[in-house]
Amino acid sequence: MASLTVFMIYFCVLREENDLDDEMRVSLFDRLPGLEKNQLELAMEYNKERGIDTKRLESRLKEIESNS
């Protein structure tokens, strides 16, 4: 238990950030073009089938399409 605690303190607190940490911050939607649009369309279809509000999804989809 002590060695795990020491490792977690080192890894989470004391360790300096590196380029791998920067890569982990990049969104999956930024890495794969078109993925967010596809996910929004699927989410809108799912929500419409279940009677859930889709206004927020529609506005984000319009925003993505206007930037393309």
Side-chain angles (χ1 to χ4, degrees), residues 1-27:
M1 187 64 120
S3 64
L4 180 62
T5 302
V6 169
F7 172 76
M8 293 304 289
I9 288 172
Y10 166 75
F11 190 79
C12 296
V13 179
L14 302 175
R15 182 180 68 88
E16 291 185 23
E17 291 186 6
N18 57 32
D19 55 342
L20 186 59
D21 294 314
D22 295 335
E23 285 294 318
M24 295 298 289
R25 286 191 184 97
V26 177
S27 169

Side-chain angles (χ1 to χ4, degrees), residues 44-55:
M44 284 175 49
E45 182 180 325
Y46 177 86
N47 286 357
K48 285 179 182 178
E49 288 174 359
R50 285 155 181 78
I52 302 171
D53 184 36
T54 60
K55 290 178 185 175

Side-chain angles (χ1 to χ4, degrees), residues 25-57:
R25 286 191 184 97
V26 177
S27 169
L28 185 60
F29 294 136
D30 293 335
R31 291 182 189 273
L32 300 171
L35 179 64
E36 185 175 12
K37 181 180 177 184
N38 187 30
Q39 290 296 316
L40 287 170
E41 290 169 347
L42 290 172
M44 284 175 49
E45 182 180 325
Y46 177 86
N47 286 357
K48 285 179 182 178
E49 288 174 359
R50 285 155 181 78
I52 302 171
D53 184 36
T54 60
K55 290 178 185 175
R56 207 176 89 218
L57 297 172

